[in-house]
Amino acid sequence: MNREGASRLLKAVLNTQVEAGCWELIREERLKEALTKGPPLSESERAILLLSPLARDEYQRVKNSVLKSVNARMDANRVDTSLVSLAASSLEDKVILKGRSFAVTLYRGLGRDVPWVVLVQLDKNYLDAIEPMTTLRLVDSGGMEWMRGSVDSNGEFTGVWLPSNGDLIKRAQDYSLSLVPE
């Protein structure tokens, strides 16, 4: 089952829950802290989100508010969340795809299990617009998510391209990329 299918299944199961009222709520300030500066939610806080529909609703409300704020700063900073891939050769060991607000570098992996490593690097205007705990999704115009994560202190995050995802260079040639906050 792919990630999207598993997510839909979990959402369907969680939507059948009835609020029992026996779980403490996570304070709005704590949720905002976890979604912005950190630290991330603890194991017990994540358990509350799994068990309480009311807590999940509050989390989603706070997350939407934080995302709205991040998007407003991105607009103010003129962050460009997309880039158009250039022709790349499958023979290259390193391919750089550069946009106005971020770059994606593809490094050939060392073996069959990890054929490519993907590095995303944010420019200063993008990095200044987001919170340290903002999750970013790198997706192509064909609808495939390449990776998701939060940037480190250098404004970077990495992931691997698995063979089951198909030919990375072909996707890079055929589709444009977007890096969007989630």
Side-chain angles (χ1 to χ4, degrees):
M1 181 180 304
N2 64 23
R3 182 182 189 142
E4 187 177 318
S7 179
R8 283 195 316 264
L9 177 60
L10 178 60
K11 187 175 184 174
V13 169
L14 292 177
N15 282 340
T16 65
Q17 284 181 316
V18 176
E19 179 63 54
C22 60
W23 307 107
E24 66 179 75
L25 289 179
I26 306 168
R27 293 181 350 272
E28 179 179 350
E29 297 80 23
R30 173 64 187 116
L31 291 171
K32 187 172 182 181
E33 177 184 62
L35 290 166
T36 57
K37 308 283 187 233
L41 293 173
S42 68
E43 190 173 319
S44 62
E45 291 168 327
R46 289 192 312 269
I48 290 170
L49 290 179
L50 278 175
L51 298 169
S52 171
L54 187 59
R56 284 195 301 279
D57 287 346
E58 180 68 1
Y59 176 83
Q60 193 60 51
R61 186 187 66 74
V62 173
K63 183 177 180 180
N64 289 343
S65 173
V66 168
L67 189 56
K68 184 177 178 181
S69 176
V70 165
N71 284 327
R73 285 194 306 274
M74 289 174 63
D75 289 344
N77 286 5
R78 295 188 174 138
V79 172
D80 186 358
T81 61
S82 62
L83 64 83
V84 177
S85 300
L86 303 174
S89 165
S90 61
L91 301 177
E92 297 177 64
D93 287 336
K94 176 180 173 182
V95 177
I96 299 173
L97 309 170
K98 180 76 175 122
R100 287 191 346 205
S101 298
F102 70 100
V104 176
T105 306
L106 312 174
Y107 295 97
R108 187 173 297 282
L110 299 177
R112 287 189 156 175
D113 293 338
V114 180
W116 292 94
V117 174
V118 180
L119 169 68
V120 173
Q121 297 171 297
L122 304 187
D123 289 345
K124 184 172 177 9
N125 69 329
Y126 204 135
L127 190 58
D128 288 346
I130 63 171
E131 299 288 353
M133 300 297 287
T134 300
T135 299
L136 299 172
R137 293 179 59 230
L138 181 64
V139 295
D140 66 31
S141 57
M144 177 177 273
E145 181 178 291
W146 288 30
M147 59 189 225
R148 78 174 57 205
S150 297
V151 296
D152 61 17
S153 59
N154 297 317
E156 302 176 341
F157 71 107
T158 59
V160 296
W161 183 266
L162 300 176
S164 60
N165 291 335
D167 184 345
L168 174 65
I169 296 300
K170 176 120 176 72
R171 280 205 83 87
Q173 291 170 338
D174 293 347
Y175 299 102
S176 61
L177 294 173
S178 295
L179 183 65
V180 293
E182 177 182 66

